[in-house]
Amino acid sequence: KNEVEQSPQNLTAQEGEFITINCSYSVGISALHWLQQHPGGGIVSLFMLSSGKKKHGRLIATINIQEKHSSLHITASHPRDSAVYICAVRSVWGSSSGTYKYIFGTGTRLKVLA
Amino acid sequence: EPEVTQTPSHQVTQMGQEVILRCVPISNHLYFYWYRQILGQKVEFLVSFYNNEISEKSEIFDDQFSVERPDGSNFTLKIRSTKLEDSAMYFCASSEAGLGTKTENTIYFGEGSWLTVV
């Protein structure tokens, strides 16, 4: 069983729809990232959060530490939002030098149709 | 917007050859990472690096792999004798992460270097 599970794996939406992508994890974490991977492969960090909720433009990310669950919401979706969205969790303990391990989910492939 | 840059963007190499992938992290960052993503699979952690030494490495990062920061700006990943299963996208990343759970230390990824071993 993967330590980080995402759902759905694939999602097709019509432009303008409200989209929710879910991430559940089974390990202790110090933070959770939502990443966007473009069709060309490049990865961009969207959010890093350890509690509550963050908003950036049309994107909203929430996390519930007790339930070990996070959601990424996209409001008024647009074809340019089409990408793979990846949830990655950061380990609780860093190394003595301050680096952390990250565990990645398998990603949710989103396609928004015009 | 500061960015992590990687070269080459794509390299094809013969099995058994040595490959060096190069990364220029964001200039004031101190922590560096390599990840890989085999086609169709999830991103996997390879190694983290700080203060000119490896901090952590995964079981994937065996003796065939090495990392180096040769000149204070580049951060390289070397694969000594490539195997077919090394074919993947390799991502470099950097962060300012320090000790403790400083949640605002985000991680910045490069665009990736696609390695094909034939």
Side-chain angles (χ1 to χ4, degrees):
Chain A
K1 187 180 186 304
N2 289 326
E3 293 165 301
V4 180
E5 297 271 3
Q6 287 185 236
S7 63
Q9 288 188 334
N10 294 283
L11 181 57
T12 301
Q14 291 292 328
E15 184 174 359
E17 283 185 13
F18 180 83
I19 288 162
T20 297
I21 299 171
N22 296 298
C23 175
S24 296
Y25 52 92
S26 57
V27 295
I29 69 168
S30 57
L32 181 145
H33 283 265
W34 280 104
L35 309 167
Q36 181 190 53
Q37 186 168 27
H38 298 297
I43 296 177
V44 174
S45 178
L46 298 174
F47 294 104
M48 187 165 85
L49 61 165
S50 61
S51 65
K53 178 177 168 178
K54 284 191 176 179
K55 185 175 190 291
H56 182 68
R58 294 180 295 105
L59 302 178
I60 303 166
T62 63
I63 188 168
N64 185 317
I65 296 293
Q66 286 73 32
E67 294 185 5
K68 295 189 173 182
H69 182 268
S70 176
S71 293
L72 176 69
H73 306 284
I74 306 175
T75 61
S77 59
H78 190 276
R80 65 175 174 266
D81 298 326
S82 298
V84 176
Y85 292 84
I86 302 171
C87 170
V89 300
R90 191 177 78 179
S91 60
V92 174
W93 302 109
S95 68
S96 58
S97 55
T99 56
Y100 293 86
K101 280 186 179 173
Y102 285 84
I103 305 170
F104 292 76
T106 52
T108 293
R109 187 174 300 275
L110 172 65
K111 186 171 184 179
V112 182
L113 304 174
Chain B
E1 175 85 27
E3 59 179 19
V4 176
T5 56
Q6 289 185 239
T7 54
S9 56
H10 188 195
Q11 182 164 352
V12 181
T13 190
Q14 295 275 343
M15 191 168 56
Q17 293 296 305
E18 177 184 281
V19 160
I20 297 177
L21 304 178
R22 292 183 169 79
C23 170
V24 179
I26 293 171
S27 61
N28 64 333
H29 285 185
L30 301 175
Y31 298 81
F32 314 112
Y33 309 84
W34 281 102
Y35 296 86
R36 79 169 186 192
Q37 186 177 32
I38 295 170
L39 185 65
Q41 298 186 22
K42 65 178 183 177
V43 177
E44 299 172 292
F45 168 77
L46 290 179
V47 66
S48 58
F49 190 87
Y50 169 73
N51 198 27
N52 282 319
E53 60 182 26
I54 290 173
S55 296
E56 289 185 282
K57 59 182 182 178
S58 72
E59 49 280 356
I60 301 167
F61 194 87
D62 62 21
D63 292 342
Q64 292 298 313
F65 291 90
S66 62
V67 289
E68 196 177 35
R69 191 156 157 80
D71 57 13
S73 61
N74 290 286
F75 178 51
T76 61
L77 174 69
K78 183 193 289 187
I79 309 174
R80 287 191 186 83
S81 177
T82 50
K83 303 187 285 286
L84 293 176
E85 54 264 37
D86 294 326
S87 296
M89 179 79 94
Y90 288 82
F91 291 100
C92 173
S94 70
S95 71
E96 290 180 88
L99 292 173
T101 57
K102 193 173 175 185
T103 61
E104 292 306 312
N105 282 321
T106 195
I107 187 168
Y108 294 82
F109 287 84
E111 288 287 311
S113 292
W114 183 249
L115 175 65
T116 302
V117 182
V118 296

